[in-house]
Amino acid sequence: MKIRALALRKHLFHLLGASVVSIACGAVISATASPGLTPSVFSVSSSSTRAVVLESVSMRNEPFSLSSEGNFSPADPRTRITLFGTNLEFLQGEGANALTADAQDAAGTVYPLKVEYVGTVPNFDGIYMVVLRLNDLMTGNLGDVLIRLNLHGMASNRVRVGIGQIGGGPADDSAPNPAPATPPGAATPLTLAQYQAQAGAPAAVAGSDAIRFLEQATWGPTDNDLSHLRSVGIQTYLNEQFNTPPLFVDNTVNPTLSSNYPLTTLYPVNTPCGVDAVCQRDNSTL
């Protein structure tokens, strides 16, 4: 998805004020952001949690209707909004697929928001723009919602966005977060080893990240798995799993596992005669 750079820059100058103007006037941009930072979403000022946010097609400010004024596409007119922030520490190869987002209304309902795009703002490499698709279940006059981004188990501050109208909504639970006077420079995507090192040692894995990893890579975390993972690190754990002998080798059960898991009884090697492909698949094979 491409956003019109000139219009985007014009709105950023207006919304971010002197912070972004200082970049254009030659302010020194800091080096790559330090690792281990929490995702950060910009608010309009130091006294408000209202988001720096634009409708992704028309570039208009809030409040946002549920149907895009710029008609995103004939087949999908739902509104996309663009938030701005920093400290999105992606691993190599990650992008929008690594981010999640949600919005909470005054009644406490939480709406998942689809992250459709993430990239740096043209000429402002330290500032990210994140395009979110509004949830179909939102009502046209919902009012203020609090939106946050989530990356690697870490949640950003929550910013206020008006849906249909401005006002109401849940109470603020984050401090205002205006853009820094000197935004960070472009961040280099981290390797897995660099990301692990943020916890203080190359092999260390933070508690929430360890649980998240095991939920994705196994049938679910156990105390023993968590303890082992935290002691050896993600890469070593993966290497161990890749080098673990399979249960079946040439249609025979691994002898070290047969006493505890008699697969030959559950899944006989010789299939009955005359069974069709579906029966064989469902009853006689893994």
Side-chain angles (χ1 to χ4, degrees):
M1 178 183 299
K2 293 186 178 296
I3 298 180
R4 290 169 289 175
L6 291 178
L8 181 58
R9 291 186 65 192
K10 176 182 178 181
H11 280 281
L12 278 177
F13 275 101
H14 172 70
L15 292 172
L16 299 184
S19 300
V20 174
V21 173
S22 66
I23 301 176
C25 293
V28 176
I29 297 178
S30 66
T32 299
S34 300
L37 299 178
T38 302
S40 173
V41 183
F42 293 150
S43 60
V44 294
S45 71
S46 59
S47 60
S48 173
T49 61
R50 301 215 72 84
V52 176
V53 59
L54 299 172
E55 207 275 346
S56 298
V57 178
S58 68
M59 299 295 168
R60 296 183 180 180
N61 302 335
E62 61 177 349
F64 303 108
S65 66
L66 297 183
S67 296
S68 173
E69 297 180 23
N71 194 16
F72 182 80
S73 75
D76 186 4
R78 297 290 292 192
T79 292
R80 274 76 174 172
I81 61 174
T82 302
L83 296 177
F84 300 89
T86 189
N87 297 345
L88 298 184
E89 292 190 290
F90 292 111
L91 297 176
Q92 291 180 1
E94 286 185 331
N97 61 312
L99 279 172
T100 62
D102 57 73
Q104 182 180 3
D105 66 15
T109 303
V110 176
Y111 304 90
L113 303 178
K114 181 176 177 57
V115 181
E116 295 194 339
Y117 173 85
V118 61
T120 55
V121 175
N123 300 318
F124 305 136
D125 291 337
I127 299 177
Y128 288 90
M129 50 186 177
V130 180
V131 177
L132 307 176
R133 184 185 189 275
L134 296 183
N135 191 292
D136 292 342
L137 298 180
M138 289 176 164
T139 60
N141 59 346
L142 193 58
D144 282 358
V145 296
L146 294 181
I147 294 181
R148 66 182 168 189
L149 302 178
N150 308 285
L151 177 63
H152 301 155
M154 294 187 294
S156 72
N157 57 304
R158 296 211 293 180
V159 288
R160 190 170 291 275
V161 176
I163 307 298
Q165 59 185 355
I166 291 177
D172 289 332
D173 55 12
S174 300
N177 184 45
T182 304
T188 302
L190 301 175
T191 64
L192 184 59
Q194 290 171 326
Y195 182 74
Q196 291 172 337
Q198 293 176 179
V205 186
S208 60
D209 282 335
I211 293 172
R212 177 176 180 268
F213 171 78
L214 289 175
E215 285 177 342
Q216 293 179 322
T218 72
W219 293 112
T222 66
D223 290 340
N224 288 338
D225 285 341
L226 281 171
S227 177
H228 181 62
L229 175 62
R230 288 167 178 162
S231 67
V232 302
I234 290 177
Q235 190 60 60
T236 298
Y237 183 91
L238 287 173
N239 291 338
E240 291 174 349
Q241 297 302 308
F242 291 144
N243 292 321
T244 298
L247 293 178
F248 275 81
V249 180
D250 296 331
N251 287 332
T252 61
V253 178
N254 186 320
T256 62
L257 301 174
S258 59
S259 60
N260 296 323
Y261 197 60
L263 288 176
T264 50
T265 301
L266 297 175
Y267 300 99
V269 174
N270 298 319
T271 58
C273 296
V275 299
D276 61 26
V278 173
C279 179
Q280 179 177 342
R281 180 199 66 197
D282 293 347
N283 298 287
S284 302
T285 71
L286 286 174

